[in-house]
Amino acid sequence: MALSRSAVEDACRYADPWLAFRQRHDRIPGVQAAVLHAGQTILSCAHGHADVERGEALTERHRFRIASHSKTFTAMAVMRLVERGELRLDDRVGIWVPEVADTALAGVTVRELLAHGGGVVRDGWDGDFWQLDVPFPDRGALARIAGDGAAVFGRNERFKYSNIGFGLLGLVVAAAAGRPFADHVRAELLVPLGLGGTVVDVDASSAADLGVATGYTALALGDRRPIDQVGTGALAAATGFASLATDVVRWFAAHFFGDERLVSDDAKRIMQKVEWSSDWPGSSSYGLGVMIDDLGGRRVIGHGGGWPGHITRSYADPVDHLAVSVFTNAIDGPAASLAATIVRLVDLAQEGIAGQDERPAADPGSFWGRFANLWGVFDLVDLGGRLYKIDPTLPSPATDAQRMEIVDADTLRLVGGPGFGSVGETYTVVRDGTGVVVEVRGGSGMTSRPYDEVRGAFAGLDRVRASR
């Protein structure tokens, strides 16, 4: 069954307020997200702050450093050159980059660099540019890194992620194209797709004009502190790009099968074929410049990005033409789990639509709401015509969603979940004069009320006192 537009819309209807909740709950300065389906942006939202100290609200037009998403642009630039016959995947890097012709990396091929199979050092032996202690390497410094014990493993010995390798690919693209990497990417990728919110690099002088959200340190180090913006020099092809969530989902639309604005479907199949399977629990497999994952049975491509102060993640299904991007402006931002949850919400809604065999006893949407009690918070959510009880605080709330059977307009039965909970028990609701649910009794028989009401009541307490 083809992915239903209404399934995506149901998921996005819940994802927006859920992301707002998670931004506050996880103490993330800001979260920006977008969802695209079949060429249309279904969700674009922003919650929290672009700059906490200035009280600047985050908007959908603030840019984020998307870091290693840059590799997907570099890979696509390579594939366009390959399809035009101006570059070959099996070309050796030493042919195109004379600075490495006499180093151990000279024989590593373009394909091996794209797949992180060249055995190349990740960031060199002095990577303190990642914590802003020294500048990111320029071309000369990149060449020195490439000649300084950079061949950590043999070619095709194992998967070994390398920003240095993608920096070299940027030099290869520039040499093959006969113009600077940034100019080539703008002309060949950004302009044809209308990605006006995407830039190849950012430095301290351009960050404010470009509207880049301020990035922040991790909570593990204490109170969050803002982090300066810096340029990435010769590593722009690996980690320099900045963009908007709405741009990035449209970027991944160019990776969908049937969309040949940039490269053929044949080239996309080559890029999206697994070159290296996941070699660590929970990690992604890798193709040519793209990560490959299985999210609950849905095969997706995409990439993550880790920058000092920004963590971003995108997933895209090139068959169902679905793309999800979530950006956070904190170095510990849970972008990957947030983006994966949105994909799973889409699948829950799709399962509901596919599994509809009879009309429910009452409209599932009439139960919609967020409720709380002393023990926590839960959402009642209609996804694809099915009602679910979801804990929005969980790392994977969609995976742990519990089905609620609608007995009648005022009664639900919990039919999913572990035996340690209240599975099989009924929940009764009380509605106001307009039909909105204002009270839920269930789950150990406790009474829950609308979240904002309970949160406000707790804010006025200095202690939770027992009733006499």
Side-chain angles (χ1 to χ4, degrees):
M1 178 180 178
L3 179 60
S4 165
R5 172 58 58 81
S6 63
V8 181
E9 291 173 342
D10 276 6
C12 290
R13 191 176 303 117
Y14 176 63
D16 190 359
W18 173 70
L19 287 170
F21 175 86
R22 288 304 294 264
Q23 179 266 320
R24 296 190 304 269
H25 181 268
D26 295 343
R27 293 187 286 169
I28 311 164
V31 176
Q32 186 187 85
V35 177
L36 176 142
H37 176 238
Q40 183 176 342
T41 301
I42 308 301
L43 173 67
S44 175
C45 65
H47 302 286
H49 288 88
D51 191 288
V52 174
E53 288 72 25
R54 294 203 306 264
E56 181 182 353
L58 183 67
T59 72
E60 299 162 29
R61 300 303 302 171
H62 279 99
R63 289 181 171 92
F64 283 70
R65 303 299 292 265
I66 58 172
S68 286
H69 281 79
S70 307
K71 295 177 176 69
T72 66
F73 291 86
T74 302
M76 186 67 81
V78 167
M79 294 306 294
R80 276 175 68 82
L81 290 167
V82 167
E83 288 209 309
R84 290 205 295 256
E86 298 171 21
L87 181 65
R88 296 187 312 139
L89 287 175
D90 292 328
D91 280 350
R92 298 178 184 273
V93 67
I95 296 172
W96 293 102
V97 185
E99 293 96 326
V100 303
D102 295 325
T103 73
L105 301 186
V108 177
T109 67
V110 169
R111 183 192 301 271
E112 290 161 356
L113 292 179
L114 285 171
H116 300 291
V120 182
V121 68
R122 193 184 197 281
D123 294 291
W125 303 108
D126 181 4
D128 281 338
F129 47 83
W130 278 114
Q131 49 187 352
L132 313 191
D133 286 352
V134 295
F136 273 74
D138 59 13
R139 181 171 183 141
L142 178 59
R144 289 192 294 274
I145 293 170
D148 180 20
V152 179
F153 291 109
R155 293 168 49 207
N156 300 305
E157 183 176 341
R158 59 161 294 158
F159 176 76
K160 178 166 177 48
Y161 194 81
S162 175
N163 287 309
I164 300 304
F166 263 80
L168 294 174
L169 282 171
L171 302 184
V172 170
V173 168
R179 55 181 165 179
F181 174 78
D183 292 348
H184 184 71
V185 166
R186 278 192 292 268
E188 293 287 315
L189 305 181
L190 305 185
V191 171
L193 297 181
L195 303 182
T198 304
V199 295
V200 175
D201 203 358
V202 175
D203 59 25
S205 63
S206 63
D209 290 340
L210 291 172
V212 177
T214 300
Y216 288 87
T217 57
L219 286 172
L221 299 180
D223 293 338
R224 295 195 188 277
R225 296 288 184 264
I227 302 174
D228 285 348
Q229 294 293 336
V230 297
T232 58
L235 292 187
T239 193
F241 285 56
S243 190
L244 315 170
T246 49
D247 260 27
V248 173
V249 292
R250 290 194 295 126
W251 163 245
F252 277 107
H255 295 70
F256 294 165
F257 295 123
D259 186 328
E260 298 197 345
R261 288 174 293 170
L262 297 183
V263 296
S264 68
D265 280 357
D266 183 53
K268 290 196 285 286
R269 282 190 287 270
I270 293 171
M271 294 175 70
Q272 297 172 21
K273 177 175 70 70
V274 173
E275 292 281 330
W276 293 97
S277 297
S278 173
D279 62 349
W280 193 259
S283 65
S284 303
S285 296
Y286 213 87
L288 299 183
V290 293
M291 293 177 172
I292 302 165
D293 291 274
D294 183 311
L295 296 182
R298 180 181 292 279
R299 187 183 191 272
V300 292
I301 64 165
H303 221 288
W307 180 256
H310 289 180
I311 300 294
T312 56
R313 191 63 163 98
S314 297
Y315 295 108
D317 184 333
V319 176
D320 273 341
H321 291 195
L322 173 72
V324 176
S325 291
V326 176
F327 299 170
T328 62
N329 59 336
I331 207 165
D332 55 357
S337 64
L338 299 180
T341 291
I342 295 175
V343 174
R344 181 56 183 147
L345 288 170
V346 170
D347 288 339
L348 277 179
Q350 180 76 355
E351 290 168 13
I353 291 169
Q356 285 181 1
D357 51 8
E358 60 182 33
R359 294 179 61 85
D363 175 16
S366 71
F367 295 91
W368 185 291
R370 175 164 293 152
F371 305 93
N373 56 46
L374 177 64
W375 285 82
V377 55
F378 65 89
D379 297 332
L380 295 179
V381 184
D382 171 18
L383 294 170
R386 288 177 174 172
L387 192 67
Y388 291 91
K389 179 175 178 280
I390 295 178
D391 182 343
T393 69
L394 294 177
S396 303
T399 302
D400 297 316
Q402 300 175 342
R403 281 281 307 279
M404 299 289 282
E405 176 188 5
I406 300 174
V407 179
D408 57 43
D410 299 317
T411 311
L412 305 171
R413 178 178 290 109
L414 184 65
V415 296
F420 285 103
S422 298
V423 62
E425 299 179 14
T426 56
Y427 285 59
T428 58
V429 306
V430 176
R431 301 177 185 270
D432 65 13
T434 67
V436 173
V437 176
V438 294
E439 185 177 292
V440 179
R441 181 180 290 276
S444 298
M446 291 187 292
T447 301
S448 301
R449 294 183 173 82
Y451 172 74
D452 288 341
E453 176 185 331
V454 175
R455 187 165 180 258
F458 273 72
L461 299 177
D462 62 351
R463 182 187 183 89
V464 177
R465 302 180 185 280
S467 298
R468 294 292 189 265

